């Protein structure tokens, strides 16, 4: 007797379909009636987020989603009223409206007119027309909310945080990236410092304050006193934070991840405060803190030896600092030391000798390392295979047949791709730059020059990779994203047809492989900085 797949019970079909990706699940449902019934089982779609373009009425859309048990929705383009979504998804659990630039306070107010107890996560990142008025609606009707994303909502003020602190006591994660009007007063509201007006969000576990420029050390004092259960705190690009503020954070025993990237006033003294306290950090990022040096590594080795991830990109550290650190931090898994130009092969040998658990390392921009140092690093037993492959490819070009400049370029490329766990077929054929080695300042690191079609190498100066929150806002990216900037300086480039206009609201251009097209200004009279998004 032959057994055919049609003989399987619907429960078994549903179990099989559960392993398919979303597109294949939909295709399986179109094969026959039996497969459709099995594919519509709620277990098949558990945890799936529906990504929708709401352009025209579709009466069967939301009943179909509810029949499959889908409760998480992302709106990619909003051409209809938001109330259309809320009314159609009675038990919605997660609503992602990131990048819906046409969403206004009025539209959100019409959607949230009664309590929605099932909604746990709301993403309003880059909904730039949203103000404190919308936060009042959210605080009134979404009291069960646990995750709120407000990154890039630049019209939110301290009043909005007061409303959040009043109505969202169950909130566990709050993202306030680039909300530039927020100050210490607003953070005080969140931390329950104004109990007469609001209880505060005392259950917060994750708080992102990246690029909130008005915050000072007083905010950290409020956080340390009121948000005692906080596990993740992102203060990157907060220029008002200093060493004194870190003294307040040093006794937060629950804190596990601290991001101080590009906090220019943080120095070795601040790291000493962290190390001498009762912190049990597993992740620390002090990249681009110019005042952090070898002494900080000594403090980290003494008091923060439980770290699993450490980022020191562009800090003033040397082989001596590496020597102090690695002897005490045997559990370190990820080490980012890109742009640390004083690191040599000696430092890599120390890392290879003592950090045997290392799975990833960023050496982007370490111009003094050679083939010998890379070969030593690739011998680490836990290093991811892609890291080893890329470093080996880079090291193979490190003999005398290549100029020092080419050798440095190959090394940097390998380290960049390795840090992202991204395999590339051959060196310099494609590159994906990501957050661990993005930069907030243009520091003059050379890379392989690229030639545009119809141009000669002298028309394109060395290019640089960097990232800054200003560009994040200008390009309206939904999250901090890697950006590569090409420095075009030759007047003849104006003869090429532009791909996208050069303006403060230029869209991103997806670039793959050998970068076949490049946007530029028609009238190039002086060097112009042009942004790209690398996929």
């Amino acid at each position: 007797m032959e057994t055919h797949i049609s003989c399987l019970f619907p429960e078994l079909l549903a179990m099989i379909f559960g392993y398919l990706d979303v597109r294949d699940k939909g295709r399986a449902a179109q094969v026959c009636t039996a497969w459709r019934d099995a594919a519509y089982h709620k277990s098949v779609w558990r945890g799936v987020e529906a990504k929708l373009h709401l352009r025209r009425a579709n009466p069967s859309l939301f009943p179909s989603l509810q029949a499959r048990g889908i409760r998480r929705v992302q709106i990619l383009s909003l051409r209809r009223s938001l109330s259309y979504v809320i009314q159609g998804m009675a038990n919605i659990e997660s609503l992602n409206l990131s990048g819906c630039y046409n969403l206004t306070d009025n539209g959100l107010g019409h959607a949230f007119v009664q309590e929605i107890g099932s909604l746990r996560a709301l993403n309003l990142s880059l909904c730039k027309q949203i103000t404190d008025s919308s936060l009042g609606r959210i605080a009134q009707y979404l009291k069960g909310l646990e995750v709120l994303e407000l990154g890039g909502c630049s019209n939110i003020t301290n009043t909005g945080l007061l409303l959040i602190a009043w109505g969202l006591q169950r909130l566990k994660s709050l993202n306030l990236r680039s909300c530039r009007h927020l100050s210490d007063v607003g953070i005080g509201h969140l931390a329950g410092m104004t109990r007469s007006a609001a209880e505060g969000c005392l259950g917060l576990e994750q708080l992102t304050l990246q690029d909130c420029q008005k915050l000072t050390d007083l905010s950290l004092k409020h956080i340390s006193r009121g948000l005692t259960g906080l596990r993740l705190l992102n203060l990157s690009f907060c220029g008002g934070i200093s060493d004194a503020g870190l003294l307040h954070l040093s006794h937060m025993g629950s804190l596990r991840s601290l991001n101080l990237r590009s906090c220019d006033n943080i120095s070795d003294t601040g790291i000493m405060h962290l190390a001498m306290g009762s912190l049990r950090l597993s992740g620390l990022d002090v990249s681009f803190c110019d005042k952090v040096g070898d002494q900080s590594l000594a403090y980290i080795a003494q008091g923060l030896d439980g770290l699993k991830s450490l980022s020191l990109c562009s800090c003033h550290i040397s082989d001596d600092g590496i020597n102090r650190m690695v002897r005490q931090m045997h559990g370190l898994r990820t080490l980012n030391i890109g742009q640390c130009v004083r690191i040599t092969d000696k430092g890599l040998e120390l890392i290879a000798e003592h950090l045997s658990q290392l799975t990833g390392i960023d050496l982007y921009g370490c111009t003094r390392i050679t083939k010998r140092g890379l070969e030593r690093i690739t011998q680490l037993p836990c290093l991811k295979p892609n890291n080893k492959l890329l470093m080996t490819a880079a090291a193979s070009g490190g003999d005398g047949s290549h100029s020092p400049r080419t050798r440095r370029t190959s090394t940097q490329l390998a380290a960049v791709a390795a840090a992202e766990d991204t395999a590339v077929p051959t060196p310099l054929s494609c590159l994906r730059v990501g957050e661990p080695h993005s930069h907030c300042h243009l520091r003059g690191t050379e890379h392989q020059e690229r030639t545009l079609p119809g141009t000669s190498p002298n028309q394109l100066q060395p290019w640089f990779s960097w990232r800054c929150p200003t560009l994040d806002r200008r390009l309206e990216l939904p999250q901090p994203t890697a950006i590569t900037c090409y420095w075009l300086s030759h007047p003849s480039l104006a003869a090429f047809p532009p791909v996208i206009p050069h303006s403060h609201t230029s869209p991103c251009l997806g670039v793959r492989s050998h970068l076949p097209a490049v946007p530029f200004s028609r009238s190039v009279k002086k060097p112009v900085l042009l942004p790209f998004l690398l996929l």
Side-chain angles (χ1 to χ4, degrees), residues 122-393:
L122 177 62
N123 189 338
L124 295 174
S125 298
L126 292 173
C127 296
K128 293 181 176 294
Q129 300 187 59
I130 294 299
T131 69
D132 297 336
S133 175
S134 290
L135 295 186
R137 284 277 184 173
I138 291 170
Q140 183 177 1
Y141 295 118
L142 306 182
K143 293 187 179 296
L145 210 60
E146 297 179 356
V147 178
L148 180 58
E149 299 281 338
L150 297 171
C153 297
S154 53
N155 290 319
I156 290 174
T157 69
N158 294 328
T159 302
L161 293 193
L162 177 60
L163 293 168
I164 290 175
W166 166 75
L168 302 180
Q169 270 83 45
R170 297 183 183 179
L171 205 61
K172 295 182 179 180
S173 176
L174 179 60
N175 187 339
L176 299 169
R177 177 177 65 87
S178 298
C179 295
R180 63 179 73 96
H181 296 303
L182 302 182
S183 67
D184 300 331
V185 175
I187 303 304
H189 294 325
L190 291 178
M193 297 294 108
T194 53
R195 293 291 180 90
S196 58
E199 287 295 320
C201 301
L202 306 185
L204 272 178
E205 297 179 1
Q206 299 183 24
L207 179 60
T208 298
L209 299 172
Q210 176 181 337
D211 193 33
C212 294
Q213 296 290 340
K214 291 185 178 181
L215 301 187
T216 69
D217 294 334
L218 182 58
S219 289
L220 303 192
K221 183 178 181 179
H222 293 328
I223 290 172
S224 64
R225 289 186 174 183
L227 304 180
T228 55
L230 204 64
R231 297 180 62 85
L232 182 150
L233 179 59
N234 187 340
L235 297 168
S236 56
F237 300 96
C238 291
I241 303 298
S242 71
D243 294 334
L246 298 190
L247 185 59
H248 297 299
L249 298 182
S250 62
H251 299 291
M252 295 187 67
S254 63
L255 198 61
R256 293 294 179 268
S257 177
L258 179 60
N259 191 334
L260 299 170
R261 173 179 290 246
S262 292
C263 293
D264 295 332
N265 293 319
I266 300 300
S267 68
D268 293 337
T269 303
I271 304 303
M272 178 190 70
H273 292 327
L274 296 178
M276 299 301 290
S278 55
L279 288 176
R280 293 182 292 170
L281 289 178
S282 59
L284 176 64
D285 189 344
V286 290
S287 298
F288 309 106
C289 294
D290 296 335
K291 299 176 183 178
V292 170
D294 287 339
Q295 188 59 48
S296 289
L297 296 188
Y299 293 139
I300 289 173
Q302 292 173 7
L304 299 173
D305 53 351
L307 285 173
K308 301 297 183 184
S309 174
L310 178 60
S311 293
L312 297 157
C313 296
S314 198
C315 292
H316 294 291
I317 61 173
S318 65
D319 295 338
D320 182 56
I322 295 293
N323 185 38
R324 298 186 191 184
M325 178 190 69
V326 295
R327 299 179 185 277
Q328 303 296 327
M329 303 187 65
H330 303 294
L332 197 65
R333 299 295 181 89
T334 302
L335 178 62
N336 298 324
I337 52 175
Q339 290 287 302
C340 295
V341 295
R342 298 167 63 191
I343 300 296
T344 68
D345 290 345
K346 179 182 177 182
L348 297 191
E349 290 175 0
L350 290 167
I351 291 171
E353 180 180 354
H354 296 281
L355 302 183
S356 59
Q357 300 300 312
L358 208 63
T359 60
I361 183 169
D362 174 12
L363 301 173
Y364 167 75
C366 296
T367 56
R368 298 180 63 184
I369 62 176
T370 66
K371 175 182 176 180
R372 186 186 68 173
L374 283 179
E375 287 179 341
R376 186 71 177 89
I377 283 291
T378 57
Q379 296 174 8
L380 284 168
C382 297
L383 200 65
K384 293 181 180 179
N386 286 343
N387 293 7
K388 294 183 179 182
L389 173 64
L390 290 162
M391 289 186 177
T392 302

Side-chain angles (χ1 to χ4, degrees), residues 9-10 23 43 77 79 97 114 121 159 163 168 175 203 294 372 389 432 441-442 460 491 506:
F9 291 112
R23 178 174 295 182
S43 64
S77 59
R79 302 287 180 85
L97 294 163
Q114 60 183 6
T159 302
L163 293 168
L168 302 180
N175 187 339
D294 287 339
R372 186 186 68 173
L389 173 64
R432 178 172 177 262
H441 303 297
L442 197 62
L460 183 62
S506 297

